[in-house]
Amino acid sequence: MNFKRFDIPDLVLFEPNIMVDNRGLFAKTFTKELFETNGIQLDILESYYSVSAKDVVRGMHFQTPPMEHNKLVYVTQGAVLDVVLDIRKGSPTFGKCFSTILSEENRNALFIPIGFAHGFKSLADNSCIVYNQSSVYAPDHDGGILYNSFGFDWQLEVAPILSPRDLGFESFDRFASPFTYSSNEKKS
């Protein structure tokens, strides 16, 4: 596995080892010891996936303390433009976003630490994204930021398909973050 770090602290993209033969392929997406060796603490408590039509935008989601979580996301079918927004007060990259293509072809996975809002745009019909989280879903701690309120270019060619919930999130300029940046932030 190859781990890549970026200008946004704690955000990590990794390329898993893939084994391909005449049967198909096998990919290991998580090894606790290897992640810890690379400074990533992730205790997975919940895992789920979504399947989206092309031009669906989901996000920008997070859970508030004390039910906040790290996420590890990857795509098993199709492709998405994956987007994260740093919402940690005091972070040197507060309000900055990062995006990458996650797809069945590149098989990359993205580790999203606590204090980031996450969303994506589906680039193909039936895109399947898997989420592994360090906490369980808590409706009373469910939060979000309006997808088009923080200056990110979603590269929209048609009107995106969004849920009423996602369209109802407040804009980033009105958002009061419950997250505070710390260089030794809790990683699990």
Side-chain angles (χ1 to χ4, degrees):
M1 293 183 177
N2 183 28
F3 291 79
K4 293 182 178 179
R5 297 189 184 272
F6 304 95
D7 293 338
I8 297 177
D10 305 320
L11 188 63
V12 182
L13 182 76
F14 83 95
E15 301 163 334
N17 294 333
I18 307 293
M19 291 162 268
V20 179
D21 62 23
N22 63 341
R23 299 170 295 167
L25 69 87
F26 177 84
K28 185 185 291 190
T29 58
F30 178 74
T31 302
K32 185 174 181 67
E33 183 178 325
L34 184 58
F35 270 58
E36 287 176 353
T37 299
N38 282 276
I40 302 167
Q41 181 69 34
L42 178 61
D43 296 318
I44 298 170
L45 296 183
E46 188 169 63
S47 182
Y48 50 94
Y49 67 91
S50 65
V51 178
S52 300
K54 184 177 181 188
D55 297 316
V56 163
V57 171
R58 294 184 190 250
M60 299 292 290
H61 304 142
F62 56 86
Q63 279 194 177
T64 60
M67 298 304 292
E68 71 273 25
H69 54 236
N70 294 310
K71 286 183 186 178
L72 178 66
V73 298
Y74 56 90
V75 168
T76 60
Q77 178 176 308
V80 303
L81 174 63
D82 205 72
V83 180
V84 294
L85 174 66
D86 188 346
I87 56 174
R88 301 170 296 173
K89 292 182 291 192
S91 168
T93 55
F94 177 80
K96 294 195 188 299
C97 56
F98 171 85
S99 68
T100 189
I101 303 283
L102 299 178
S103 71
E104 66 182 299
E105 283 84 28
N106 69 27
R107 300 179 185 103
N108 291 339
L110 187 63
F111 173 76
I112 305 164
I114 291 168
F116 284 77
H118 173 247
F120 65 87
K121 178 181 89 168
S122 179
L123 301 175
D125 281 331
N126 299 312
S127 291
C128 180
I129 187 168
V130 177
Y131 312 77
N132 294 291
Q133 295 184 172
S134 64
S135 72
V136 297
Y137 177 67
D140 292 343
H141 294 273
D142 193 27
I145 294 170
L146 187 62
Y147 82 102
N148 61 357
S149 69
F150 54 95
F152 180 72
D153 179 4
W154 289 88
Q155 303 167 23
L156 299 170
E157 296 174 11
V158 298
I161 304 163
L162 288 108
S163 71
R165 172 182 164 255
D166 288 358
L167 284 170
F169 289 143
E170 67 183 337
S171 64
F172 182 64
D173 63 344
R174 303 188 80 185
F175 174 66
S177 181
F179 302 100
T180 303
Y181 174 77
S182 171
S183 60
N184 58 3
E185 182 133 6
K186 173 182 148 188
K187 304 279 192 233
S188 62

